[in-house]
Amino acid sequence: MEPAKDSMATTTPTSYESFVSEHRVALRQAMVARFGVDVGCEATADAMAYAFEHWARVSIMTNPLGYLYRVGQTSARKQFRWSKPIALPPPDAQRLPDVEPGLPKALVGLSDERRVIVLLVHSHDWSYAQVADFLNIDIAKVRNELHRGLQQLRNDLGGAPS
Amino acid sequence: MKTIEDQLRAYGSQLTSIADEHEAVTERSPKNSGGVDYALASPDPVKPKRNKWIPFAPIAAAAAAIMALVSSHIFGHTTANAQKVRFSALAAKPGAQRVVIDELPQGFAFDNVTEIPTNQTFSNLLIIGESGPTEMIESVVTASQSKEDMYADGSSQLNGSIQLKNYVGKTVRVITEHDPKKNDRITQITMIAPLEGCGFAYLYNGPNPSEEVLADQLAKLKCSNGRLTGTAPAGQEVLYNGPMGSYQGPLPMTSYTDGKNHVVSIEAVAATFPEQLREIIERLSPELTAVDTQRISGREVSVRELPGVGINYAWVDDDVQYALTADRTVSIDDVAKIIRSVRSAADDEWQKMLAPDRPV
């Protein structure tokens, strides 16, 4: 997996192409965590398209990735009218024999923000600071949400303690 | 059993793989095969899609037209002899006369409509409606503004004809006739009268009313602060039936002019007819079906329609705020434009809030 960039908030890319190459995967990771694979990928593409069309403005933002995350959220919301739940793919039983089959459902059961934090930190190796910058929240909140998210997953799965 | 953290790491790897595959398929799909060539240096180029948001400025004029198209309806349906009748709201700001015709009522015929001579013409007259002929009518009327009599005959769904006659310089009858060969003649009579401060008021009547009835109905209309209020014609209670529940009573009728565009707002209805509106909405709510929903700068805006009837309602933050049109082709983007247009006319801050590029 591709790790997120060191600094989400202060990176000011010199070109759209470099921005895409550096940040698109990170944005997609967050979008997929938030909306599932299909809608997440679509939202990422929409956000990148938006960045392309408004690059002059986006490029000078202090937190362009966080902004585009919001743009992607706006784009994706219409896919989730009337509280339709997101869909995460089931774990591949052959490739991931040790992953609980109920993990995706348990993840969906988390609040949106909590799920994003849990997946970014533990699935995609983002640091707390990166997540805090990206979501524009306090790092203490990241820590708390992560702790509560893992606890909730353990409760839901009846899983092993870490 | 692995720890949750280990499972999440493994599952994240799977998510990444699936996302890569998804993007690879999407990139190869015909859907993304055309369009502008946004050649990127990235090894995994992103082809931006069409921006779903249209910048406000270029569509400002169009939005005003859409306003007239979709927001100048008041609601009201009845079933009588299994025929659907709709009320229309007609209004225009002074100097820009607009006539709006909702879906033509069925089951009523006016066989003895008196043609009233006129020597007054309208300017910028616009006739809009849901059904087939109205677009045709609009174009013909627009092209025939200087003519005293406007006649349109097209090949659209209703194959209708229309004659506009000014009545004593104050009222106009709009007579729309369906092809009698199809035995479903459709006729609507609409009376329009200028009301000071409210542009043109409207009266719709069912079966051929007498002049006295029309005069009586007209007298019931009130204009206050640019807001036209009134009640359904005396003796013509509207029976809601079928998909609209069983509400029976006078139709609230109101219109509102914001000084720039004519708006039929359910807010205005609520202000004037709170009890009726509440009753209607309470009956409608369980049956309203979402057409589309979009988050517009933090406001949840959705269009909901009443199946089988076709009136669209725009809901903002879960409160119905606009009664739109019977035209089911209205999209959420149209609603967004309308709301922007309306709000911008009243409050520039609203326009800023609704700017499409503002993150929520």
Side-chain angles (χ1 to χ4, degrees), chain B residues 41-263:
Chain B
S42 165
D44 188 8
V46 174
K47 294 182 178 178
K49 298 178 177 179
R50 177 184 66 82
N51 187 8
K52 294 182 178 61
W53 288 102
I54 303 171
F56 178 75
I59 56 88
I66 294 172
M67 275 283 301
L69 258 171
V70 302
S71 68
S72 295
H73 290 248
I74 198 68
F75 53 91
H77 293 253
T78 183
T79 56
N81 300 324
Q83 301 291 338
K84 185 167 56 179
V85 175
R86 295 185 175 183
F87 269 64
S88 304
L90 306 181
K93 64 178 181 178
Q97 299 140 353
R98 286 183 181 138
V99 180
V100 181
I101 302 176
D102 201 341
E103 181 179 88
L104 300 175
Q106 303 175 33
F108 290 101
F110 303 92
D111 294 322
N112 300 309
V113 174
T114 303
E115 291 194 2
I116 302 163
T118 178
N119 55 7
Q120 180 174 337
T121 60
F122 284 92
S123 61
N124 194 26
L125 185 64
L126 189 63
I127 299 180
I128 304 171
E130 176 201 37
S131 302
T134 50
E135 289 184 5
M136 172 270 296
I137 291 170
E138 176 187 354
S139 62
V140 172
V141 170
T142 302
S144 309
Q145 289 176 2
S146 61
K147 295 180 180 178
E148 291 183 2
D149 297 338
M150 301 175 201
Y151 181 83
D153 191 2
S155 58
S156 60
Q157 179 188 354
L158 292 180
N159 192 27
S161 61
I162 182 170
Q163 292 175 315
L164 297 180
K165 298 290 184 182
N166 198 341
Y167 175 52
V168 200
K170 290 186 178 180
T171 58
V172 167
R173 283 184 170 183
V174 178
I175 307 155
T176 311
E177 297 181 13
H178 196 267
D179 184 358
K181 295 179 182 178
K182 296 182 180 178
N183 196 29
D184 54 353
R185 185 175 184 181
I186 298 173
T187 310
Q188 173 170 318
I189 183 168
T190 303
M191 182 176 179
I192 308 168
L195 290 178
E196 186 177 356
C198 278
F200 275 73
Y202 128 95
L203 279 178
Y204 165 79
N205 207 329
N208 196 8
S210 65
E211 296 300 326
E212 290 76 17
V213 169
L214 291 174
D216 179 64
Q217 293 167 358
L218 186 63
K220 293 180 184 303
L221 294 175
K222 305 295 180 184
C223 181
S224 176
N225 297 324
R227 177 172 293 179
L228 177 69
T229 61
T231 59
Q236 294 194 34
E237 287 193 340
V238 176
L239 174 64
Y240 288 115
N241 211 337
M244 297 193 75
S246 57
Y247 173 79
Q248 184 172 7
L251 267 182
M253 184 173 69
T254 186
S255 65
Y256 167 73
T257 303
D258 65 359
K260 184 177 180 181
N261 292 302
H262 169 66
V263 181

Side-chain angles (χ1 to χ4, degrees), chain A residues 1-2 16-17 20-21 24-25 28-29 32-33 37-39 41-42 44-46 48-50 52-54 57 67 70-71 73-75 77-79 81-82 88-92 95-96 98-101 103-104 107 118-119 121-125 150 153-154 157 159-162, chain B residues 1-23 26 31-32 36-53 55 289-298 300 302-304 315 318 332 356-360:
Chain A
M1 74 190 74
E2 183 168 331
Y16 176 74
E17 289 78 6
V20 169
S21 63
R24 186 180 61 82
V25 172
R28 193 187 68 184
Q29 289 171 346
V32 169
V37 175
D38 291 346
V39 178
C41 289
E42 292 289 320
T44 304
D46 284 345
M48 284 301 176
Y50 181 91
F52 182 87
E53 295 175 17
H54 303 84
R57 189 160 54 84
Y67 183 88
R70 296 292 185 180
V71 171
Q73 280 186 308
T74 302
S75 169
R77 275 201 174 95
K78 60 193 171 196
Q79 307 287 337
R81 64 182 69 145
W82 311 124
L88 290 174
D92 186 333
R95 289 170 51 193
L96 308 171
D98 295 323
V99 174
E100 283 282 342
L103 180 61
L107 284 168
V118 167
L119 283 173
V121 171
H122 285 295
S123 296
H124 303 299
D125 295 332
L150 291 176
L153 288 176
R154 291 188 188 100
L157 298 174
S162 57
Chain B
M1 175 67 70
K2 289 194 172 183
T3 64
I4 290 292
E5 291 84 347
D6 291 338
Q7 293 185 50
L8 286 169
R9 190 167 295 108
Y11 186 63
S13 174
Q14 179 184 340
L15 285 178
T16 301
S17 300
I18 295 175
D20 288 341
E21 294 168 7
H22 181 280
E23 287 193 345
T26 305
K31 175 183 171 185
N32 288 343
V36 180
D37 180 14
Y38 295 105
L40 304 175
S42 165
D44 188 8
V46 174
K47 294 182 178 178
K49 298 178 177 179
R50 177 184 66 82
N51 187 8
K52 294 182 178 61
W53 288 102
T289 301
V291 178
D292 202 351
T293 300
Q294 201 170 92
R295 194 81 176 173
I296 303 175
S297 298
E300 190 81 27
S302 66
V303 173
R304 303 178 191 181
W315 297 65
D318 219 26
I332 190 71
D357 55 355
R358 181 180 181 273
V360 297

